[in-house]
Amino acid sequence: MGFCLLNNVAIAAAHARASGLDRVAIVDWDVHHGNGTQDAFVDDPNVLYISTHQFPFYPGTGAVSETGEGEGKGYTVNVPLTAGGGDGVYRAAFERIILPVLEEYRPQLVLVSAGFDASARDPLAEMTLSADAFGWMARALRGVAEKSAGGKIALVLEGGYDLVALESGLLAATRGVCEGTALDIARAPDVEDLERASRVAREAWKTVG
Ligand SMILES: [Zn+2]
């Protein structure tokens, strides 16, 4: 239900699976929930789908209770965030939930649905990320890929509807993932959204704090 004809990240994950990988992680920081990606792998434990997104928001899916189905139970991790959240909330979400889950899963490949529409300037959404936050998240995911995937990570461009924010966010993320350089961002005090999301994630992932 997004603006794409082909879901590049889902196709890449399916291709990686067909090529013999057993653990592919998709991290979706686009501001919209990736309902198509989630649906494609909802019952598949071999593809872990983790999403941060504004919630409630278009397309309406991505509640914290959507955790996968059948054998894929636990391998969908949704971290819905209240409108207005910024760098500190994303850093807390990564440190409390996303990075521990990834390190426990030990992906052989990390694919990132790298939308830049959670930026403060974006005209469609109401999250307030700075460019530095994209750099920080990209660097953190590079670290995950280095630990378990031999460094294999791809950032795949998705949303982003303000050209200035797109340029600065993309530059920071590219530096973070290619060079491992990024500015630090402050971590927010724990917020209710993350309390809820960690409670649910903890049922499947013992390292979530
Ligand atoms: Zn989007």
Side-chain angles (χ1 to χ4, degrees):
M1 285 162 65
F3 307 141
C4 47
L5 298 176
L6 299 173
N7 184 333
N8 297 312
V9 162
I11 292 169
H15 181 71
R17 285 283 295 128
S19 308
L21 295 197
D22 295 321
R23 293 184 313 281
V24 177
I26 298 172
V27 180
D28 181 347
W29 74 44
D30 190 279
V31 81
H32 302 95
H33 180 241
N35 60 342
T37 309
Q38 174 174 299
D39 189 60
F41 305 108
V42 74
D43 57 359
D44 185 356
N46 301 109
V47 179
L48 169 68
Y49 177 68
I50 305 184
S51 177
T52 54
H53 42 274
Q54 182 174 327
F55 188 85
F57 196 50
Y58 185 87
T61 49
V64 74
S65 56
E66 297 167 28
T67 58
E69 295 169 7
E71 287 184 6
K73 194 80 184 162
Y75 295 91
T76 293
V77 178
N78 280 303
V79 184
L81 300 170
T82 302
D87 297 6
V89 173
Y90 277 74
R91 176 167 177 168
F94 267 63
E95 291 183 338
R96 278 193 72 170
I97 304 168
I98 296 166
L99 297 175
V101 168
L102 287 168
E103 283 172 19
E104 192 174 333
Y105 188 65
R106 294 182 301 109
Q108 298 158 305
L109 171 66
V110 179
L111 298 169
V112 185
S113 282
F116 292 85
D117 43 8
S119 105
R121 291 180 54 101
D122 196 88
L124 295 193
E126 294 137 307
M127 305 311 282
T128 56
L129 287 189
S130 71
D132 294 341
F134 292 107
W136 188 93
M137 294 191 292
R139 183 183 60 181
L141 295 177
R142 169 191 161 116
V144 170
E146 281 173 342
K147 272 190 196 157
S148 65
K152 289 196 287 293
I153 180 168
L155 262 63
V156 180
L157 185 60
E158 295 201 358
Y161 308 98
D162 177 88
L163 289 180
V164 172
L166 182 59
E167 180 181 358
S168 57
L170 191 51
L171 183 62
T174 304
R175 285 195 175 129
V177 82
C178 295
E179 300 167 7
T181 55
L183 295 174
D184 261 345
I185 52 175
R187 175 172 163 162
D190 288 339
V191 295
E192 186 53 36
D193 289 337
L194 299 182
E195 289 299 327
R196 220 175 2 250
S198 1
R199 244 190 335 264
V200 172
R202 219 175 288 138
E203 290 167 17
W205 304 94
K206 58 180 184 297
T207 52
V208 171

